[in-house]
Amino acid sequence: MAENNISRRSRQQRRRAKETLAALIVIGAMLACMAAVVISLSFADGGADMPVKQTAGTPIRVESSSQQDAYTRQDVKPEESSFQQLSDPFLVLVNDEVKLPENWEVTPSFIGEEAVDIRVYDQLSAMMRAAQEDGVSLWICSGYRSVEEQEIILNREIEQHMNNGMSEEEARELSLRTIARPGHSEHHTGFVVDLNDVDDAFEETDTYRWLSEYAEDYGFVQRYRSDKVEITGIDNESWHYRYVGAENAREMNRLNMCLEEYVQYLKDQGVA
């Protein structure tokens, strides 16, 4: 009888051990799944809720590309090539007539997989956190671009239009309405982000309405607007936001000016 009791207790102990092990395996699997969900949520929407800062340490000097001259407009006036920038780097003007200043440097800092200049990282991160707290979904689609990357993007767009039946000249002209020439893109500055879906429908979203109200508080303005196309030379881009500093952003919006107008306005006021 004693041996039977011992054998029965032994079987019960083994059964409980197996049950405990199975329970631990199930709990471990559940914890692993929960961890995976937390990680995926942390990096969703471009990492808006938890930006990851990675500084390169050594600034990148943005050099002109050898192919840049292939996209140079023939009607650019000589005096436009010697455009005098203001001393405030956040007001650097880069457009189809004014190329990125020589020896411009960007120290990249990453939010998700996209880089911006370290000088705008804190304000951009703060804006994204504020948007999240207000229940607004905000992520970065595109940030800093090298001249070479800009060449690839432009050439791809031109090729796509040519595949749709356009001549090369027609394809280039249409592409340049929305994509800046290499060396002439604001993305080279590191002060620009394209947000969320790069689509005209973005203008109808709650996110866009939130940005229209609060972006200036963090130093950002919508760079290309429908009412300024004749000045900027770029079609309306509701997703393209440029850092100019909070004081400048508020003043630009108050005066209803795009960057080209605002820079000239400051020069007329004697600001250098």
Side-chain angles (χ1 to χ4, degrees):
M1 177 68 73
E3 291 179 353
N4 289 339
N5 290 337
I6 293 173
S7 177
R8 184 162 55 253
R9 284 198 300 272
S10 177
R11 288 196 299 272
Q12 289 175 344
Q13 289 173 348
R14 287 197 298 270
R15 184 172 64 252
R16 283 197 295 270
K18 290 180 180 179
E19 291 173 349
T20 300
L21 178 61
L24 289 174
I25 293 173
V26 171
I27 293 172
M30 291 176 63
L31 289 174
C33 290
M34 291 174 64
V37 171
V38 170
I39 292 172
S40 64
L41 289 175
S42 296
F43 289 96
D45 295 343
D49 55 340
M50 190 178 295
V52 179
K53 185 174 183 178
Q54 302 173 349
T55 304
T58 302
I60 297 172
R61 179 167 293 179
V62 186
E63 302 288 356
S64 298
S65 166
S66 60
Q67 296 186 28
Q68 182 175 322
D69 292 341
Y71 302 100
T72 301
R73 281 179 35 184
Q74 300 300 315
D75 59 344
V76 175
K77 299 177 182 179
E79 61 267 28
E80 291 170 342
S81 61
S82 58
F83 179 83
Q84 294 298 311
Q85 299 283 356
L86 295 175
S87 59
D88 185 349
F90 293 134
L91 294 179
V92 62
L93 182 64
V94 182
N95 58 28
D96 194 51
E97 296 178 342
V98 181
K99 68 178 182 178
L100 187 75
E102 296 293 335
N103 301 323
W104 182 266
E105 291 184 340
V106 173
T107 301
S109 197
F110 288 81
I111 297 182
E113 296 182 353
E114 294 298 328
V116 295
D117 190 273
I118 193 172
R119 289 170 285 183
V120 307
Y121 175 89
D122 287 341
Q123 286 297 88
L124 178 58
S125 297
M127 183 172 75
M128 297 181 74
R129 285 194 298 269
Q132 184 184 32
E133 289 170 0
D134 287 345
V136 172
S137 180
L138 191 63
W139 70 90
I140 301 173
C141 175
S142 181
Y144 164 75
R145 293 180 201 154
S146 67
V147 174
E148 291 73 20
E149 288 173 320
Q150 191 71 14
E151 286 178 354
I152 292 172
I153 292 171
L154 179 58
N155 288 334
R156 185 189 302 133
E157 185 76 4
I158 291 173
E159 183 178 356
Q160 181 176 339
H161 289 315
M162 291 177 66
N163 290 338
N164 290 334
M166 290 187 178
S167 67
E168 183 176 355
E169 182 178 356
E170 292 172 333
R172 178 172 287 106
E173 181 178 354
L174 180 58
S175 297
L176 289 173
R177 289 177 57 183
T178 55
I179 301 175
R181 292 181 294 131
H184 290 254
S185 171
E186 280 207 322
H187 283 277
H188 301 329
T189 66
F191 297 163
V192 165
V193 286
D194 288 339
L195 297 171
N196 292 28
D197 299 320
V198 180
D199 189 278
D200 290 337
F202 180 60
E203 200 161 3
E204 305 302 322
T205 65
D206 290 337
T207 302
Y208 176 77
R209 286 185 280 273
W210 188 92
L211 287 167
S212 298
E213 184 172 356
Y214 297 112
E216 65 176 28
D217 295 336
Y218 301 91
F220 287 88
V221 294
Q222 181 183 336
R223 177 67 174 94
Y224 303 121
R225 293 167 22 192
S226 58
D227 59 338
K228 302 294 182 179
V229 173
E230 291 187 2
I231 300 172
T232 64
I234 299 293
D235 285 350
N236 180 62
E237 294 189 354
S238 57
W239 57 84
H240 182 109
Y241 279 78
R242 160 70 188 270
Y243 185 84
V244 293
E247 183 178 347
N248 290 322
R250 295 189 186 101
E251 189 68 0
M252 285 176 65
N253 288 337
R254 185 185 72 81
L255 295 170
N256 190 32
M257 289 182 175
C258 62
L259 188 56
E260 284 81 359
E261 293 173 305
Y262 186 63
V263 167
Q264 187 57 52
Y265 165 79
L266 291 179
K267 288 183 175 182
D268 291 343
Q269 302 299 310
V271 177

